[in-house]
Amino acid sequence: MRPIETIPRVSLVPEATPLQHLPRLSESLGGVQVWCKRDDLTWLGLGGNKLRKLEFLLWEALDQGADTIITTGAAQSNHARLTAAAANALGLRPVLVLRKPVRGPGQGNLLLDDLLGAEVRFGSWESWKECEGLLEEVAGELRAAGRRPYIVPMGGSNALGTLGYVQGALEIARQARALDLPLKSVVCTTSSGATHAGLLLGQTAYELPFDVIGISVSLPCQECAPEVLRLANQAAALLQTDPLPPEAAVVFDDYIGPGYGQVDGPTISAIRTLALLEGVLVDPVYTGKTLAGLMDLARQGTWRAGEAVVFLHTGGLPALFAYSREMNVQIGR
Ligand SMILES: Cc1ncc(COP(=O)(O)O)c(C=O)c1O
């Protein structure tokens, strides 16, 4: 196997993000010890999981001589905001092609995209293929104007981006070992899939002593589990290691609620529980749903009292403001 340290990347995240114990939440869950991996506390652009993927992707962009980074996502995309921040930090120009409808204009991530000086274009598409076509069109236009664009895929999720959370899995394992934690599971959000895929590949390839559980916030299991596996296996090829068995990707889709980006009662309840018990905030689109899933799995007896579970906090907090109307309705304000 090729050691991950030999694959070049730029530096966009701290040496290690904090692994924080949540004692009052743990107590409320019957003694299952919940630890929060604070990947929301990365340095750039208000932080989040995407920076780990961008370390590998933007190294490739620089290596190819790019001067402009194009990426895409929903109007309130955390990935797009962090790509803009990371591009700025490396002296590259960000172009964001965001999908309509424009939720929260001038608010949340859109406000931050503007503050970061990103060139924001809005578009519509029905499929990823159509979206890719649109990104190629934008790249062609920029090339014709003398620029050298590099396209970062939706969510930073391709083989190279997946390596970010192989690195993340090793970091969690190192921290858990130093604290002598009886770590059973790492629970993460699964959306475009590379965060989950990277953790899973890291866990398998390096034989790390925990399992990885994904909570889908968008797609049913039968769609996102194969995607996680596909990404993990493409990244496994980069590391020259064995592919994973199909059953390796464990995803729960019971916590999506009414749909991607739609705020529901259990999510608000999880957000408020964590805020009240620990003073830690999570977001309504990704981490709030994942936390609702973790809390429900704990109550179902997935882990025993005393066992440790890591909740991966992947960021996304600007959405708290973009979704303030829906959240106020749920809270009853
Ligand atoms: C805050 C946050 N958490 C989790 C995810 C999911 O990560 P992935 O797309 O790698 O599945 C995203 C993706 O946009 C995100 O913005």
Side-chain angles (χ1 to χ4, degrees):
M1 182 173 125
R2 180 174 178 190
I4 184 130
E5 296 76 24
T6 65
I7 301 189
R9 60 188 166 113
V10 295
S11 175
L12 299 173
V13 296
E15 190 67 22
T17 58
L19 183 62
Q20 175 188 1
H21 189 214
L22 302 177
R24 291 159 63 83
L25 181 70
S26 303
E27 196 186 326
S28 80
L29 295 175
V32 172
Q33 297 302 307
V34 184
W35 291 74
C36 187
K37 176 65 173 162
R38 299 295 305 268
D39 275 11
D40 58 318
L41 297 181
T42 43
W43 289 321
L44 293 172
L46 295 189
N49 60 330
K50 303 300 178 175
L51 292 167
R52 288 192 190 267
K53 308 178 185 188
L54 288 164
E55 286 197 329
F56 290 92
L57 291 163
L58 295 189
W59 185 90
E60 184 177 77
L62 290 173
D63 188 52
Q64 292 178 5
D67 62 7
T68 302
I69 303 297
I70 304 172
T71 199
T72 185
Q76 284 295 336
S77 168
N78 299 301
H79 162 72
R81 178 244 313 166
L82 286 169
T83 302
N88 285 357
L90 296 171
L92 303 166
R93 287 163 68 183
V95 177
L96 309 178
V97 182
L98 304 180
R99 191 180 193 180
K100 292 185 202 166
V102 183
R103 172 182 281 278
Q107 190 40 285
N109 282 304
L110 282 172
L111 171 64
L112 300 176
D113 295 342
D114 277 345
L115 291 175
L116 289 162
E119 180 187 330
V120 178
R121 304 179 181 203
F122 292 102
S124 299
W125 53 86
E126 293 304 321
S127 64
W128 298 137
K129 211 169 168 43
E130 212 183 309
C131 173
E132 274 166 20
L134 192 58
L135 297 184
E136 284 301 341
E137 252 175 55
V138 173
E141 187 193 308
L142 293 171
R143 260 184 230 110
R147 309 247 299 260
R148 296 184 303 280
Y150 174 92
I151 297 175
V152 171
M154 167 80 70
S157 287
N158 62 10
L160 203 53
T162 297
L163 296 179
Y165 271 92
V166 172
Q167 193 69 35
L170 286 168
E171 190 176 304
I172 291 170
R174 240 185 342 264
Q175 288 175 314
R177 210 177 305 123
L179 290 160
D180 205 15
L181 295 186
L183 180 58
K184 290 291 163 197
S185 308
V186 174
V187 178
C188 70
T189 307
T190 308
S191 185
S192 65
T195 301
H196 186 166
L199 289 171
L200 189 59
L201 176 60
Q203 180 267 320
T204 313
Y206 286 89
E207 298 179 12
L208 305 177
F210 52 77
D211 55 30
V212 179
I213 295 176
I215 306 290
S216 175
V217 296
S218 46
L219 296 173
C221 291
Q222 59 273 24
E223 288 179 51
C224 61
E227 181 59 10
V228 166
L229 201 70
R230 189 182 70 81
L231 287 164
N233 286 339
Q234 285 183 354
L238 292 181
L239 293 181
Q240 296 158 16
T241 186
D242 296 335
L244 280 65
E247 67 277 9
V250 175
V251 188
F252 290 90
D253 59 7
D254 313 86
Y255 310 99
I256 300 171
Y260 172 76
Q262 294 189 40
V263 184
D264 63 344
T267 307
I268 297 292
S269 168
I271 292 173
R272 296 204 88 198
T273 300
L274 187 65
L276 289 173
L277 291 179
E278 303 284 359
V280 173
L281 292 162
V282 287
D283 84 283
V285 180
Y286 297 97
T287 49
K289 290 188 176 178
T290 303
L291 180 65
L294 184 153
M295 287 165 58
D296 187 53
L297 291 172
R299 291 192 186 109
Q300 286 177 36
T302 305
W303 305 285
R304 284 200 289 270
E307 290 182 341
V309 179
V310 167
F311 163 58
L312 178 62
H313 192 331
T314 44
L317 296 178
L320 283 170
F321 305 102
Y323 284 78
S324 60
R325 195 177 48 78
E326 292 85 338
M327 301 220 310
N328 278 316
V329 169
Q330 290 284 345
I331 294 167
R333 286 258 185 281

